[in-house]
Amino acid sequence: MSYFTRSSSPSSSPVKFSTPTKPGLAEHSSSSPVPSPSKWTPEVDYTEVDIESLVPGPNCITFMGRIVNFYDQTTTSKMPKAAKGCLKMIMKDDTGALTVRLWYAERNYNLCLGHLVSIWTPHVSDGINTNLSVPTAPLLVNIFPERDRSCHFMVHEASGAGKQCKVPLGYEDGQSVSKLVTLKDYLNSEHERDGVKILVCVKSIGPKKTVKHKTGDGQSELVNLGVFDDTSDISLTLWGAALSSVDAWRPSVTILLITNPVLRYNRYPSLSLGASTYIDIDPNIPDAGWVRRFAQTLTKREHVNPPWPEGVFDLQATLSDPVRILYNLADLDEQ
């Protein structure tokens, strides 16, 4: 049973895969001395598959999905050709999810939550046996496009637009989202359930801050967002590489479906992301439209600037009359 009133919604678009040279697709620019990734041409045929169809082992495949969680892991190697770090992400389409480790040396990928990306890889691993993936995304793909020409990573233009790969896992049209609870119920008791989901709207976006680590060995950037539904509101904190995601988010418009959020208590309860957290941005489900309409209703109701009164003041007479009357605020209030 859904927690929100349902309305009809068009079905999601089928997932379509693209080759790296197809017009209309582009990649983030790179200052790396390696050849431009946009010129990458596969030397063998890659089979287009859904994430649900992936199996461990060697096989040249390509698939598409959206980034629902990621963070940066730096390395300490001083070797000239060694990777400086990797972007560890959870990537999902409408059928499944997997863990990806995108290694980099010089290239800056400028990733954001919700980006629609495509990957070409010659191998898929079982990450659970190596503790490199999370239980909800057990398969693992390791790629290093700057050093390995058999793999490739591409971010699609206008990644936030469209409905591709925006259906929550396990959702069926006309059915409620499994384990979806209101924010109030989540705070009361439901946060203890595994796989619990909340559907919230962005209320406010705070400034980016830099905080020092308690150990004194570094600092990190964060941003606090206000999120809410029709039952409660709470603060959501994003750290590190995910900060750039909020630049495209709009208060009272952007909807977040958060799976397995981490609940923290300081002076007040707040949310953050854990290793198993998914964030679906503007998911393609009817409940997302209901929450957005509810948020915009509140925006109109709480507006503090009433419209300019009509028929009270004669602007032309005020400008041309030789006698000017000085009003005080009490006089205007009586009008």
Side-chain angles (χ1 to χ4, degrees):
M1 180 176 180
S2 174
Y3 285 88
F4 309 107
T5 304
R6 292 195 170 277
S7 60
S8 60
S9 172
S11 59
S12 59
S13 303
V15 175
K16 298 180 180 179
F17 297 93
S18 308
T19 62
T21 56
K22 183 176 180 179
L25 300 178
E27 301 198 349
H28 289 286
S29 61
S30 170
S31 58
S32 170
V34 300
S36 173
S38 61
K39 298 179 181 179
W40 184 82
T41 302
E43 298 179 354
V44 297
D45 291 333
Y46 287 73
T47 304
E48 299 173 351
V49 296
D50 294 334
I51 292 179
E52 183 183 40
S53 304
L54 296 176
V55 294
N59 193 11
C60 291
I61 55 170
T62 176
F63 53 90
M64 178 190 294
R66 291 192 183 270
I67 299 173
V68 294
N69 192 350
F70 78 103
Y71 56 93
D72 196 358
Q73 291 181 317
T74 58
T75 60
T76 57
S77 175
K78 296 182 180 180
M79 299 294 292
K81 294 186 178 181
K84 292 183 179 178
C86 77
L87 293 166
K88 187 173 182 179
M89 68 189 77
I90 299 178
M91 178 177 167
K92 65 169 285 292
D93 60 8
D94 296 341
T95 67
L98 83 161
T99 303
V100 177
R101 294 205 301 172
L102 174 60
W103 296 91
Y104 62 86
E106 302 294 336
R107 191 177 178 204
N108 184 5
Y109 287 92
N110 297 321
L111 298 182
C112 294
L113 292 169
H115 265 170
L116 182 65
V117 302
S118 288
I119 289 178
W120 288 257
T121 180
H123 192 273
V124 177
S125 304
D126 185 355
I128 290 296
N129 294 331
T130 58
N131 296 321
L132 295 176
S133 62
V134 297
T136 55
L139 296 183
L140 173 68
V141 168
N142 273 292
I143 54 174
F144 194 177
E146 293 175 70
R147 299 287 185 261
D148 184 359
R149 300 295 295 179
S150 67
C151 60
H152 189 63
F153 181 86
M154 180 167 63
V155 180
H156 294 260
E157 285 184 344
S159 282
K163 297 180 179 180
Q164 285 181 303
C165 306
K166 283 193 172 183
V167 177
L169 294 180
Y171 175 77
E172 295 184 6
D173 192 27
Q175 303 295 321
S176 60
V177 178
S178 63
K179 298 186 179 180
L180 176 65
V181 301
T182 64
L183 185 52
K184 181 178 179 180
D185 288 341
Y186 172 81
L187 295 174
N188 287 338
S189 60
E190 296 292 338
H191 59 274
E192 299 177 357
R193 293 175 60 192
D194 184 46
V196 68
K197 301 179 181 69
I198 56 174
L199 187 66
V200 293
C201 182
V202 174
K203 182 177 184 179
S204 61
I205 301 175
K208 296 177 182 179
K209 302 178 182 179
T210 300
V211 296
K212 294 183 178 180
H213 297 167
K214 293 182 179 181
T215 57
D217 59 353
Q219 59 187 21
S220 299
E221 287 187 312
L222 64 84
V223 63
N224 290 314
L225 301 91
V227 298
F228 71 104
D229 66 2
D230 62 325
T231 65
S232 188
D233 58 7
I234 196 171
S235 175
L236 169 65
T237 303
L238 297 182
W239 294 82
L243 292 185
S244 58
S245 306
V246 305
D247 294 340
W249 297 359
R250 297 168 55 197
S252 300
V253 175
T254 301
I255 304 297
L256 308 176
L257 177 64
I258 310 177
T259 305
N260 283 325
V262 176
L263 181 62
R264 302 185 184 278
Y265 285 93
N266 193 356
R267 287 182 300 175
Y268 305 99
S270 64
L271 300 177
S272 62
L273 307 189
S276 299
T277 303
Y278 294 6
I279 293 189
D280 289 90
I281 302 172
D282 295 327
N284 184 26
I285 53 175
D287 285 342
W290 188 95
V291 174
R292 184 179 293 109
R293 290 190 295 272
F294 171 78
Q296 293 174 354
T297 300
L298 291 183
T299 301
K300 296 178 181 178
R301 186 184 306 169
E302 297 176 357
H303 206 291
V304 297
N305 296 322
W308 181 260
E310 296 182 1
V312 177
F313 300 100
D314 189 339
L315 180 60
Q316 294 301 322
T318 303
L319 295 175
S320 59
D321 199 305
V323 180
R324 305 291 177 89
I325 301 175
L326 179 64
Y327 289 96
N328 56 37
L329 293 178
D331 295 332
L332 296 176
D333 185 58
E334 292 177 358
Q335 296 293 328

